[in-house]
Amino acid sequence: MRLLIMGPPGAGKGTQAAIIGEHYNIPAISTGNIFRLAITNRTPLGERIKRIISEGGYVPDRLTLQIVIQRLEEEDAKGGWLLDGFPRTVGQVKALDKELEAHGFHLDAVISLTADEEAIIQRMLKRAEIEGRPDDNEETIRNRMEVYHDQTDPLLEVYGERGLLIEVDGMGTVEEVSARVLAALSERLGH
Ligand code: AMP
């Protein structure tokens, strides 16, 4: 099974991705987590991207694609995956299409978590205090939201036209949202 999860910053993609991944026994692969780890470990990739991430911009497609394709070739990803936070640009969609086609694979569904933006901005500010993420100050959060609308909103239409999009209300407790997501997936996929 090959799934994507999308949604504005702070909508809870990462949390839901982990639950869905566990449910279907597929790795939940988060580009944001890979990037943050690279920054923490001060790898060459981390050094190149730390400024971009701390300002809430997008890592260039070429770099992002390199990381994703490398990750998808790892053993645990051979049988399927859930991508969290990728693709985020039209260029990334095209690259993923090519990668899938090269292996004779296809996407099964794209989950879109919808959310009340002002509410999630407040939630992110709270999370910033707890987790201390460098990209969680108010200016960066608002910038991430703007970049999301500008670059990533159009992807919803692309996947909508392909009939792959499953919209799920992302507001509520983790359990409420995951119950909605799993019910919607099971209805769509028949298992
Ligand atoms: P996330 O944890 O998914 O919110 O991602 C955190 C940050 O990592 C984003 O604000 C971007 O700076 C960067 N990032 C994650 N995924 C991508 C991607 N697919 N393309 C470009 N930048 C990304």
Side-chain angles (χ1 to χ4, degrees):
M1 169 137 31
R2 291 176 179 82
L3 304 169
L4 307 181
I5 185 162
M6 298 178 54
K13 290 187 301 288
T15 308
Q16 295 303 327
I19 295 171
I20 301 160
E22 193 166 328
H23 182 86
Y24 286 107
N25 202 21
I26 48 177
I29 298 172
S30 155
T31 41
N33 281 348
I34 295 172
F35 291 149
R36 277 185 291 276
L37 192 66
I39 293 172
T40 304
N41 292 339
R42 298 171 182 246
T43 67
L45 170 72
E47 293 301 312
R48 277 183 75 176
I49 62 174
K50 65 180 179 196
R51 172 110 184 248
I52 301 171
I53 301 237
S54 69
E55 289 172 353
Y58 280 176
V59 174
D61 279 357
R62 212 172 44 84
L63 261 183
T64 304
L65 288 165
Q66 219 176 308
I67 296 301
V68 170
I69 287 170
Q70 207 177 321
R71 178 66 186 88
L72 293 184
E73 277 164 13
E74 283 176 33
E75 200 52 42
D76 68 331
K78 295 255 152 76
W81 34 251
L82 164 63
L83 299 184
D84 158 17
F86 179 93
R88 260 176 156 100
T89 66
V90 172
Q92 291 178 13
V93 171
K94 287 187 184 144
L96 178 61
D97 285 345
K98 256 170 99 182
E99 180 68 12
L100 285 164
E101 206 181 296
H103 292 93
F105 295 149
H106 64 272
L107 289 175
D108 294 284
V110 177
I111 303 147
S112 162
L113 283 185
T114 61
D116 168 349
E117 254 171 52
E118 217 27 66
I120 58 179
I121 287 175
Q122 294 312 319
R123 193 159 78 186
M124 285 166 91
L125 289 171
K126 220 186 213 167
R127 187 174 74 182
E129 282 172 29
I130 302 165
E131 291 179 10
R133 266 174 60 153
D135 54 352
D136 270 357
N137 63 67
E138 182 147 9
E139 194 190 333
T140 303
I141 289 171
R142 296 212 182 263
N143 188 39
R144 287 170 71 200
M145 214 49 108
E146 205 176 301
V147 173
Y148 178 82
H149 285 307
D150 198 42
Q151 307 268 321
T152 308
D153 260 356
L155 274 53
L156 296 176
E157 204 175 311
V158 171
Y159 288 121
E161 278 168 5
R162 295 185 191 178
L164 287 172
L165 203 64
I166 304 178
E167 277 204 354
V168 177
D169 177 3
M171 300 309 285
T173 64
V174 168
E175 292 74 22
E176 282 165 353
V177 176
S178 65
R180 276 180 218 136
V181 172
L182 292 177
L185 274 173
S186 136
E187 189 183 338
R188 174 68 62 98
L189 303 170
H191 53 91

